[in-house]
Amino acid sequence: MSLALPPEALRFRDEVRAFLDEHLSADLRRGAALTSGVFAEPDIARPWQAILETRGWLVYHWPVAAGGPGWSRVQRWIFEKECAEAGAPALPGMGLKLVGPVLYSFGDDAQKADYLPRLRSGEDFWAQGFSEPGSGSDLASLRTRAVRDGDDYLVTGQKIWTTQAHHANRLFALVRTNPEAKPQAGISFLLIDMASPGVTVRPILSASGDHELNEVFLDAVRVPVANRIGEEGQGWTIAKFLLENERGGSSFGPGLVADLRRLLDATGPLKGELATRAIRLSLDARALETTELRTAIELDAGAPPTPRSLITKLVASEIRQGIDELAVDAFGPAGLQLPAERPFYGPGMPAPIGPQAAQPAAARYLNSRAWTIFGGTSEIQLTLIAKAAVGL
Amino acid sequence: MSLALPPEALRFRDEVRAFLDEHLSADLRRGAALTSGVFAEPDIARPWQAILETRGWLVYHWPVAAGGPGWSRVQRWIFEKECAEAGAPALPGMGLKLVGPVLYSFGDDAQKADYLPRLRSGEDFWAQGFSEPGSGSDLASLRTRAVRDGDDYLVTGQKIWTTQAHHANRLFALVRTNPEAKPQAGISFLLIDMASPGVTVRPILSASGDHELNEVFLDAVRVPVANRIGEEGQGWTIAKFLLENERGGSSFGPGLVADLRRLLDATGPLKGELATRAIRLSLDARALETTELRTAIELDAGAPPTPRSLITKLVASEIRQGIDELAVDAFGPAGLQLPAERPFYGPGMPAPIGPQAAQPAAARYLNSRAWTIFGGTSEIQLTLIAKAAVGL
Amino acid sequence: MMLEPTEEQALLRDMVSRFLADHVPTDVAGRGSLPLADWRALGDLGVLALAVPEAAGGLGGGPGEIAIVAEAFGRAAAMGPLAECAVLCACLIADGGDQASASKWIGAITSGQAIVAYGGPGEGLGDLTVQRAGEGWILNGERRLVRHGAGAGAFIVALDDAPHLLLIEAATPGVAILPYALADGEQAALVRFDAVEVACEARLQVTPTRRRRVIAMTQLAITAEMIGLMQTLYEATVDHVRQRRQFGVAIGSFQVVQHRVARLFILLEQSRSLLLRAISADDDAFATAVTEAFAYVADAALRLAQDATQLHGGMGVTEDLLVGRGHRRLLVLSHLFGGAIAARAKLAA
Amino acid sequence: MMLEPTEEQALLRDMVSRFLADHVPTDVAGRGSLPLADWRALGDLGVLALAVPEAAGGLGGGPGEIAIVAEAFGRAAAMGPLAECAVLCACLIADGGDQASASKWIGAITSGQAIVAYGGPGEGLGDLTVQRAGEGWILNGERRLVRHGAGAGAFIVALDDAPHLLLIEAATPGVAILPYALADGEQAALVRFDAVEVACEARLQVTPTRRRRVIAMTQLAITAEMIGLMQTLYEATVDHVRQRRQFGVAIGSFQVVQHRVARLFILLEQSRSLLLRAISADDDAFATAVTEAFAYVADAALRLAQDATQLHGGMGVTEDLLVGRGHRRLLVLSHLFGGAIAARAKLAA
């Protein structure tokens, strides 16, 4: 009974560490440290993606057959922890974490050959078209229609909360192909070229002033039937697969541990209530990374997925919000500045009030409120835990 | 717009204060300060009840027609605040607060003449027979049966959580007189002589070791029909009247403010986390007493009862628990002692570890967990607030 | 003892509310300070003279009146230099300024023609030193969070360790103003003082008691503004959970949503109680009662804003809805004067 | 890297669990220490020798083994002087005692024949002074929370400001033992030392590093015991909300109940993670990792106990159900060594 990493794991860790030391430039670290949104912007993400792809570690969580390096779950955990400690950019997950696994699991050979290389090279930038204005947590009520027209579908509807859609050239979307069927049964999974006529992207500004989210309007957009993943009506099954990947896919704890440490480096030692909150957050984050390591060890040992992994997203969201609220409090008056310019590491940014790390604090605080909403609200997560893990 | 007490209210306050200075003996104060349960035990409660009755202030919350002093709501609030500040014993509410108002509101002349004087003199000590093992928050599901037999009912069933029933000679109880009717419609309200054959009281020890609660077994207990309050089947209406009195009847804030102050007097200045918790509790308690004063002012001005008063019991319960948990933490190791002997002010009590105020701390902590359960759980209260105050 | 506003207070509230309803429609609310023209119009209505003593040509309003106006601002998510300029700086000049300062600035502030901004001491607010120089002083250092400092005609600078309150015009040589945006969209400034020569007339002679009271009045205004905005966010949230449907029902029918909104109701009622308590406190107890109210409300406001955002779902984190913008505003207001943490520390001391 | 116990650890766990299941039925569990006969039987099974180094005649178990046994105790709500006596005092004597002490006490402890109780320093635990007197010392003062002190044959007294660890027999002149009951039904003692003469052989020579480690092992045992009891209360609560019906349905079907139990699941999993992390820490990191685990678990345990009580309704506050008695036990365990607050303060320092 021990979580201590065995020698071969330590060697692997050192290898990752050495790689990060060498290839993660100061500019990339700085960009990552001053990113206010969930994911790095393309100017940071693209070069880092290329570096990882060159090393063969971009799709480290994909199976060997799909081009992954064949790492164990524990190796993935170690890799994620080292990346977090080193302050690597958070690559957008829509391609690598979401549609990638869908493509290699449900796509046909032509689709795989067509899309996977471009996904990895960064030529394709993906956005996710799931949510709609009327259907947030209740995905099955989606209304975007795809009507068959020869070898194409004509897709009409509206998607919302589409992260980084303004950078994307590809959209994967759930659409209703059969309005007669039961809500879940009539849904299909389509790949849409954002350059198609009828696609309009409208920005949604966050309260922080960040532009990460968008609405995507689809007006009789012509999508080849060949761009459908799986069978018609299989969309719900694929979506569930994807959402489980989203929830349980990667480790949150290491990033939270590292972010809290970086915050405390920037603020210096905290006193009083702030010190107490920092300790509590640190214990929560360390517990979470260990919970994630336990799950990785179990999966490597061939155990079936544990319901414990359901807690990850919920707990991570609350720690994230706790850290970002602590930051505003700890930076004092400097935590209240919120320049309109972006990115925070860009040349157009005004001089910070107080330490540079304080400048994105308010933006981060506001943005991180989204963590308990998107990707399944905390309320949905708790119900899921009660049912699947507790057995109520 | 001001809550400042006008001169006549200040004069009234001074009158109450002078009375308490003179009549609240050191022994009574000490007994009250070292009581671990919700209510004072009879050795403390009876003499204090007699003193108040002599002054005409025992049933200060009853209308003039029922024998009350005709105080405004604000006067009641002031009286309760002064009693709390002075550390007066908490008189059991089953008679004075619960069945008393039922008697003068729903009783016939014979019942009033029979019971009210003995209630005030302390000759009658009342217990409340509402809850049953199967029906906690769901009172309408009660199963104790009362079957008509000539001029009597034969009452059979079981009541639980009967506070101080081991001291009581009277029980007021909800019983099912019509098993055919809808759950709420078949219930009646009876007054039962505890000396009747078939009444058995079994103590329920609290986790703290205190004996406050009991089970009362009723085995074909003969109760004259004349002991029924109101009509047959009117029990639910009377119970609702009584529960509203229980929830909204008196002020909790002043007692919590005073208890917290006494705790801090005993512990001396607190540091760090404990100081923060004390401040938060103090703000909560001061807000609550002010919320209660606002309600009193409104009622005196003739406004209808405000839904704001629904928050009182819930908020008070949580502050109560907060203070009692703070006490255990603040007393340090001494907060962990829990002698089996009772009462804490009695001659048989072993020497305290640390300050005397620390000796009942663990008992109080354990007992106060009941606050969010009895008299409508916090969950029930929140639902009530959502519906009646928020309008959901 | 009266919960309702007096007739005069009700007239004041209705006047301000009506003005703000007309001039700050919902889609504009919470995006930044009122335009100067609107500010002047408020001055014309007498709103900005409210806190100034009658002897100094103001309306001599008390805590009740100030809270009523500030709450109306919060209710409408309207912004402007109300608390620090029209309450704090105006009162300090009226109380302690010489004839020249008073005649130059008080009329300008109360008519909405000029802003005097406040640079008080506190953790993270920057260091300042003041040295005697002849009849006057030399000022060096900075104030980091001077709300509305970008457009101010003058500053009142306070020092913690000295009884100095100095009124310094923005155009004084050595004063450098670095404007920046706060989270609520208002402009603040970091103001640097580089060997600024301050004449002896610039010193405001305000007794410590009065100074404490005026600062408490300012904090009361901020507390009342938070409560007004809490009320607006609360009502928006109740409406939303009644209307928004998921899984075929209104989300307000879910037990956890009901309980959560019930908690917000409690926060709001308790906040209001402490505000009323502060308004009603006698002079000796006033400053502490305000600190208590602020300590509670600053926490409650942020908690309410967070839950309002959560219950609004995705829309709650955008700039499109007032709930997101109100959240930003409450983030700023709840952190002024050191926020709830400094207030609790003060109460514990 | 292995989550499951080794084969030997599993045998140990099963043996202790079986013994406790046989000897501590649910209606007895959580009411106080095991009877002496049972304690001796555990000694016969080798359980009490687990922490003692092999060189001193023990089994030389590590953190994993100690956690397994302590967790089994918590799971069964069984009580006894496991942490402070069989782990802490036994190890201190084995490490630092002379031949005579070792031969007198170690066998007696590990066989369950005698109890050596621990009086450590800390806030509220009482003042002690020790003065040199010839070859030995004179001890004056008290220790206020000596668990199992009432029946102890000897005490190990530790001082904060001195490297002293003194082993003092209960019968030594000047030692006065005042037994009292703790909230969990166990007997503790306030022990007074009135000019007690301590011979030089009574001093346990334990290096600071080793002492820190042994104290961490003790805290680890208490942490594991809490987790075992949390698991028991959690399971009782899940069973209860499945079975208890109100308003015609199981209360476990209410959304707020579901979410609340889900939170308990999270607390338990996170607690277990920090325990495993501490067990797995290398020597340098061990003491800090234990403090971290204890700080988290002490809070989580009390929170879980409170919610378990709440969800059990009225029955939860009685002595009849294990949930109420388990709550008492967790109240005590979570406050040992200064509780979560002291642990957090240590981590912040």
Side-chain angles (χ1 to χ4, degrees):
Chain A
M1 198 171 57
S2 170
L3 304 177
L5 297 180
E8 69 276 15
L10 292 173
R11 274 194 300 277
F12 173 75
R13 183 197 65 186
D14 293 342
E15 186 187 351
V16 174
R17 209 172 269 183
F19 165 79
L20 290 166
D21 269 355
E22 187 177 345
H23 293 282
L24 183 60
S25 68
D27 274 0
L28 287 177
R29 285 180 212 250
R30 180 166 177 279
L34 294 172
T35 292
S36 54
V38 177
F39 298 124
E41 291 285 306
D43 57 341
I44 296 292
R46 280 184 201 278
W48 182 234
Q49 172 162 347
I51 291 167
L52 288 174
E53 178 65 357
T54 303
R55 183 65 179 84
W57 290 355
L58 177 68
V59 294
Y60 65 93
H61 50 298
W62 293 10
V64 176
W71 287 350
S72 68
R73 296 280 176 158
V74 170
Q75 281 178 301
R76 295 186 207 172
W77 183 90
I78 292 170
F79 178 72
E80 287 163 358
K81 180 155 179 67
E82 292 305 315
C83 285
E85 293 287 343
L91 295 181
M94 294 79 75
L96 295 163
K97 299 271 164 89
L98 301 184
V99 80
V102 165
L103 282 166
Y104 65 66
S105 303
F106 295 90
D108 59 32
D109 289 344
Q111 290 169 333
K112 290 188 209 177
D114 189 14
Y115 287 108
L116 288 175
R118 285 202 310 268
L119 193 167
R120 296 174 58 164
S121 72
E123 189 182 339
D124 276 358
F125 191 110
W126 285 91
Q128 174 184 22
F130 276 24
S131 290
E132 298 186 4
S135 66
S137 296
D138 182 11
L139 206 52
S141 68
L142 67 87
R143 289 185 302 183
T144 294
R145 295 267 320 260
V147 179
R148 187 71 178 258
D149 181 44
D151 287 341
D152 297 331
Y153 290 107
L154 288 176
V155 181
T156 301
Q158 182 184 351
K159 295 292 178 179
I160 196 169
W161 315 129
T162 328
T163 303
Q164 294 196 344
H166 53 304
H167 299 315
N169 63 333
R170 306 272 167 202
L171 176 78
F172 59 92
L174 293 180
V175 298
R176 190 165 297 286
T177 40
N178 182 355
E180 318 286 289
K182 286 191 181 165
Q184 282 96 334
I187 294 173
S188 299
F189 192 106
L190 295 187
L191 311 181
I192 302 176
D193 185 337
M194 295 284 280
S196 312
V199 176
T200 314
V201 175
R202 194 186 75 87
I204 301 176
L205 275 196
S206 298
S208 62
D210 286 271
H211 175 204
E212 256 198 321
L213 303 170
N214 302 274
E215 285 180 286
V216 178
F217 298 87
L218 303 164
D219 181 14
V221 177
R222 192 163 286 277
V223 180
V225 171
N227 281 13
R228 192 188 65 223
I229 302 284
E231 298 303 308
E232 196 165 275
Q234 209 190 343
W236 188 255
T237 306
I238 299 174
K240 269 173 52 187
F241 167 87
L242 179 148
L243 291 173
E244 274 161 32
N245 275 340
E246 183 178 11
R247 265 196 288 269
S250 39
S251 302
F252 292 97
L256 296 166
V257 168
D259 278 358
L260 180 59
R261 185 179 51 68
R262 273 189 286 270
L263 172 62
L264 297 178
D265 286 348
T267 62
L270 300 178
K271 292 178 304 190
E273 292 184 33
L274 294 175
T276 303
R277 277 163 55 191
I279 293 288
R280 285 183 186 276
L281 287 165
S282 144
L283 297 177
D284 287 340
R286 289 195 180 282
L288 181 62
E289 71 169 9
T290 310
T291 297
E292 291 168 333
L293 176 58
R294 285 166 63 200
T295 302
I297 294 172
E298 276 177 3
L299 291 172
D300 282 347
T306 157
R308 187 192 315 121
S309 63
L310 291 172
I311 77 173
T312 295
K313 195 259 175 177
L314 176 80
V315 174
S317 303
E318 294 177 350
I319 301 171
R320 174 82 268 156
Q321 293 179 341
I323 293 173
D324 291 335
E325 192 171 344
L326 178 69
V328 170
D329 290 339
F331 284 123
L336 300 180
Q337 66 191 309
L338 182 54
E341 296 80 1
R342 290 291 181 282
F344 281 94
Y345 49 85
M349 188 52 54
I353 306 299
Q356 184 156 45
Q359 203 165 32
R364 281 212 181 115
Y365 165 85
L366 291 164
N367 286 340
S368 79
R369 303 315 305 177
W371 270 80
T372 48
I373 296 171
F374 294 125
T377 65
S378 289
E379 290 74 24
I380 297 279
Q381 305 290 338
L382 282 166
T383 298
L384 214 61
I385 294 167
K387 293 198 191 306
V390 177
L392 291 182
Chain B
M1 197 170 60
S2 171
L3 304 176
L5 297 180
E8 69 276 15
L10 293 173
R11 275 194 300 278
F12 174 75
R13 185 196 66 188
D14 293 341
E15 187 188 349
V16 174
R17 209 172 270 183
F19 166 79
L20 291 166
D21 268 355
E22 188 178 343
H23 294 282
L24 184 60
S25 69
D27 274 1
L28 288 177
R29 285 178 212 251
R30 182 167 177 277
L34 293 172
T35 291
S36 54
V38 177
F39 297 125
E41 291 285 305
D43 58 341
I44 296 292
R46 280 184 201 278
W48 182 236
Q49 174 161 347
I51 291 167
L52 288 174
E53 178 65 357
T54 303
R55 183 65 178 85
W57 290 354
L58 177 67
V59 294
Y60 65 95
H61 49 298
W62 293 11
V64 175
W71 288 351
S72 68
R73 296 280 176 157
V74 169
Q75 281 178 303
R76 295 186 208 170
W77 182 88
I78 292 170
F79 179 72
E80 287 163 357
K81 180 151 180 67
E82 292 304 315
C83 286
E85 292 288 341
L91 295 181
M94 294 79 75
L96 295 164
K97 299 272 166 89
L98 301 185
V99 80
V102 165
L103 281 167
Y104 65 65
S105 302
F106 294 92
D108 59 31
D109 289 343
Q111 289 168 333
K112 290 187 209 177
D114 190 15
Y115 287 108
L116 288 176
R118 285 204 307 270
L119 193 166
R120 296 173 58 165
S121 73
E123 189 181 338
D124 276 359
F125 191 112
W126 286 92
Q128 176 182 21
F130 275 24
S131 290
E132 298 185 4
S135 65
S137 296
D138 183 9
L139 206 52
S141 68
L142 66 87
R143 288 186 303 184
T144 294
R145 296 265 321 257
V147 180
R148 187 70 177 259
D149 180 43
D151 287 342
D152 297 331
Y153 291 106
L154 288 177
V155 181
T156 300
Q158 184 185 350
K159 295 294 178 179
I160 197 167
W161 316 128
T162 329
T163 303
Q164 294 198 342
H166 54 304
H167 299 315
N169 63 334
R170 305 273 165 202
L171 176 78
F172 60 91
L174 292 180
V175 298
R176 189 166 298 287
T177 40
N178 182 355
E180 318 287 288
K182 285 191 181 162
Q184 282 97 334
I187 294 174
S188 301
F189 191 105
L190 295 187
L191 311 182
I192 301 176
D193 185 337
M194 296 283 282
S196 312
V199 176
T200 313
V201 175
R202 194 185 77 86
I204 302 176
L205 276 196
S206 299
S208 62
D210 286 271
H211 174 202
E212 255 198 321
L213 303 171
N214 301 273
E215 283 180 286
V216 178
F217 296 88
L218 303 164
D219 182 13
V221 176
R222 193 163 284 279
V223 180
V225 170
N227 281 13
R228 190 188 67 223
I229 302 283
E231 299 303 310
E232 197 165 273
Q234 208 190 344
W236 187 254
T237 306
I238 299 174
K240 267 174 54 187
F241 167 85
L242 180 148
L243 292 173
E244 274 161 33
N245 275 340
E246 183 177 12
R247 265 195 288 269
S250 38
S251 303
F252 292 97
L256 296 165
V257 168
D259 279 358
L260 180 60
R261 185 180 48 70
R262 273 190 286 270
L263 172 62
L264 298 178
D265 287 346
T267 61
L270 300 178
K271 293 178 304 192
E273 292 186 32
L274 294 175
T276 303
R277 277 163 55 192
I279 293 287
R280 285 183 186 276
L281 288 165
S282 145
L283 298 178
D284 287 340
R286 290 196 179 279
L288 181 62
E289 70 170 9
T290 310
T291 297
E292 291 168 332
L293 177 59
R294 285 166 64 200
T295 302
I297 294 172
E298 276 178 2
L299 291 173
D300 283 346
T306 157
R308 185 193 317 121
S309 64
L310 291 172
I311 76 173
T312 295
K313 195 259 175 178
L314 175 80
V315 174
S317 303
E318 293 175 351
I319 301 171
R320 174 83 268 155
Q321 293 178 341
I323 292 173
D324 291 335
E325 191 170 345
L326 178 68
V328 169
D329 289 340
F331 284 122
L336 300 179
Q337 64 191 310
L338 182 54
E341 295 81 0
R342 290 293 179 283
F344 281 94
Y345 50 84
M349 186 56 50
I353 307 299
Q356 184 157 43
Q359 202 165 30
R364 282 215 180 111
Y365 165 85
L366 291 164
N367 287 340
S368 79
R369 302 317 304 177
W371 271 79
T372 47
I373 296 171
F374 294 124
T377 64
S378 290
E379 290 74 23
I380 297 279
Q381 305 289 339
L382 282 166
T383 298
L384 214 60
I385 294 167
K387 292 197 190 308
V390 177
L392 292 180
Chain C
M1 218 170 27
M2 173 166 154
L3 286 175
E4 294 303 307
T6 61
E7 206 174 317
E8 283 189 351
Q9 288 173 334
L11 286 171
L12 175 67
R13 181 193 61 198
D14 294 346
M15 180 187 72
V16 177
S17 303
R18 227 176 2 246
F19 179 90
L20 295 175
D22 289 348
H23 292 76
V24 190
T26 306
D27 59 325
V28 163
R31 291 193 192 270
S33 289
L34 286 168
L36 208 57
D38 288 342
W39 196 249
R40 287 179 188 157
L42 281 167
D44 293 343
L45 290 172
V47 174
L48 308 182
L50 199 67
V52 177
E54 286 177 89
L59 300 177
E65 288 72 33
I66 289 167
I68 278 171
V69 171
E71 185 176 337
F73 267 72
R75 200 85 177 76
M79 304 186 192
L82 188 72
E84 286 98 331
C85 175
V87 177
L88 179 50
C89 290
C91 286
L92 291 175
I93 296 171
D95 283 9
D98 63 5
Q99 197 57 46
S101 314
S103 64
K104 175 160 187 185
W105 291 112
I106 292 183
I109 290 173
T110 57
S111 64
Q113 302 289 325
I115 293 168
V116 178
Y118 179 72
E123 185 145 358
L125 290 171
D127 296 324
L128 264 187
T129 58
V130 63
Q131 287 170 289
R132 194 83 215 183
E135 292 291 287
W137 297 271
I138 301 282
L139 193 63
N140 274 294
E142 66 181 27
R143 283 289 178 251
R144 288 188 176 183
L145 174 58
V146 179
R147 292 213 298 162
H148 308 284
F155 303 99
I156 292 180
V157 170
L159 280 86
D160 221 2
D161 54 349
H164 291 291
L165 277 173
L166 303 174
L167 176 65
I168 299 163
E169 303 208 2
T172 310
V175 175
I177 301 168
L178 286 79
Y180 68 94
L182 290 176
D184 57 8
E186 286 202 320
Q187 287 291 310
L190 184 154
V191 184
R192 287 222 177 88
F193 302 91
D194 183 15
V196 174
E197 293 178 25
V198 186
C200 79
E201 308 84 63
R203 177 152 171 206
L204 303 175
Q205 305 275 1
V206 182
T207 66
T209 308
R210 176 68 188 163
R211 181 172 163 186
R212 206 159 33 241
R213 183 170 177 85
V214 174
I215 286 182
M217 295 262 261
T218 310
Q219 225 174 346
L220 181 82
I222 290 164
T223 305
E225 188 180 341
M226 285 195 276
I227 288 178
L229 191 44
M230 286 168 78
Q231 181 76 35
T232 296
L233 263 52
Y234 167 78
E235 288 172 15
T237 303
V238 172
D239 282 351
H240 178 79
V241 303
R242 277 200 192 116
Q243 283 158 22
R244 170 75 171 173
R245 298 175 74 82
Q246 291 276 273
F247 305 104
V249 294
I251 63 173
S253 67
F254 291 118
Q255 206 184 20
V256 291
V257 172
Q258 293 188 347
H259 286 198
R260 204 137 173 193
V261 179
R263 292 278 178 194
L264 302 189
F265 177 81
I266 293 171
L267 289 178
L268 197 43
E269 286 298 330
Q270 294 276 83
S271 292
R272 210 169 270 290
S273 290
L274 287 176
L275 176 67
L276 277 167
R277 182 170 169 273
I279 289 172
S280 316
D282 57 30
D283 287 0
D284 291 347
F286 180 65
T288 299
V290 169
T291 304
E292 289 174 328
F294 180 81
Y296 183 93
V297 176
D299 265 2
L302 206 56
R303 164 95 190 277
L304 185 143
Q306 290 170 351
D307 278 5
T309 292
Q310 180 72 18
L311 289 166
H312 272 83
M315 287 307 299
V317 301
T318 69
E319 203 169 53
D320 290 344
L321 281 200
L322 184 54
V323 64
R325 306 194 306 267
H327 193 158
R328 293 192 307 216
R329 176 67 168 172
L330 288 173
L331 180 70
V332 172
L333 295 179
S334 66
H335 282 79
L336 296 177
F337 291 94
I341 294 174
R344 279 192 293 270
K346 200 168 160 189
L347 293 170
Chain D
M1 221 172 22
M2 170 166 157
L3 286 175
E4 295 304 307
T6 62
E7 207 174 317
E8 284 190 350
Q9 288 173 334
L11 286 170
L12 174 68
R13 182 192 59 197
D14 294 347
M15 180 186 72
V16 176
S17 302
R18 223 171 11 241
F19 179 90
L20 295 174
D22 290 346
H23 291 76
V24 189
T26 305
D27 58 326
V28 163
R31 291 192 193 270
S33 287
L34 286 168
L36 209 55
D38 288 343
W39 196 248
R40 286 180 187 154
L42 281 168
D44 293 343
L45 291 172
V47 173
L48 308 181
L50 198 66
V52 177
E54 287 177 90
L59 300 176
E65 288 73 30
I66 289 167
I68 278 171
V69 171
E71 185 175 338
F73 267 71
R75 201 85 176 78
M79 305 186 191
L82 187 73
E84 286 97 330
C85 175
V87 177
L88 179 51
C89 291
C91 286
L92 290 175
I93 296 171
D95 283 9
D98 64 4
Q99 198 56 47
S101 313
S103 63
K104 175 158 185 187
W105 291 112
I106 291 182
I109 291 173
T110 57
S111 64
Q113 302 288 326
I115 293 167
V116 178
Y118 178 72
E123 184 145 357
L125 291 170
D127 295 326
L128 265 186
T129 59
V130 64
Q131 288 169 289
R132 194 83 216 185
E135 294 291 288
W137 296 270
I138 302 282
L139 194 62
N140 274 294
E142 65 180 29
R143 282 288 177 252
R144 288 189 176 182
L145 174 56
V146 180
R147 291 214 298 162
H148 308 283
F155 304 98
I156 293 181
V157 170
L159 281 86
D160 220 0
D161 53 350
H164 292 291
L165 278 173
L166 303 174
L167 175 66
I168 300 164
E169 302 208 2
T172 312
V175 174
I177 301 168
L178 286 77
Y180 69 93
L182 289 177
D184 58 8
E186 287 202 319
Q187 288 290 310
L190 184 155
V191 184
R192 288 224 174 84
F193 302 92
D194 184 14
V196 174
E197 292 178 26
V198 186
C200 80
E201 308 85 62
R203 177 154 172 201
L204 304 175
Q205 306 274 4
V206 183
T207 66
T209 308
R210 176 69 186 161
R211 181 172 163 187
R212 207 159 32 242
R213 182 170 176 85
V214 175
I215 286 181
M217 294 263 260
T218 310
Q219 226 174 347
L220 181 82
I222 290 163
T223 306
E225 188 180 341
M226 285 194 276
I227 288 177
L229 191 45
M230 285 167 78
Q231 181 76 35
T232 295
L233 263 51
Y234 167 78
E235 288 173 12
T237 302
V238 173
D239 282 351
H240 177 80
V241 303
R242 278 199 191 116
Q243 283 159 23
R244 170 74 171 172
R245 297 175 75 82
Q246 291 276 274
F247 306 103
V249 295
I251 63 172
S253 67
F254 292 117
Q255 205 185 20
V256 291
V257 172
Q258 293 187 347
H259 286 198
R260 203 138 174 190
V261 179
R263 291 278 177 193
L264 302 188
F265 177 83
I266 293 170
L267 288 177
L268 198 43
E269 286 298 331
Q270 293 277 81
S271 292
R272 210 170 270 292
S273 289
L274 287 177
L275 176 69
L276 278 166
R277 181 169 170 273
I279 289 172
S280 316
D282 58 31
D283 287 359
D284 292 346
F286 180 65
T288 299
V290 169
T291 303
E292 289 174 328
F294 179 82
Y296 184 92
V297 175
D299 265 2
L302 206 56
R303 164 93 189 277
L304 184 142
Q306 290 170 351
D307 277 4
T309 292
Q310 180 72 19
L311 289 165
H312 272 82
M315 289 305 299
V317 301
T318 71
E319 202 168 55
D320 289 345
L321 282 200
L322 185 53
V323 65
R325 308 196 303 270
H327 193 158
R328 292 193 308 217
R329 177 67 168 171
L330 289 173
L331 181 70
V332 172
L333 296 178
S334 65
H335 283 80
L336 296 177
F337 290 93
I341 294 174
R344 278 193 292 269
K346 200 169 162 188
L347 293 170

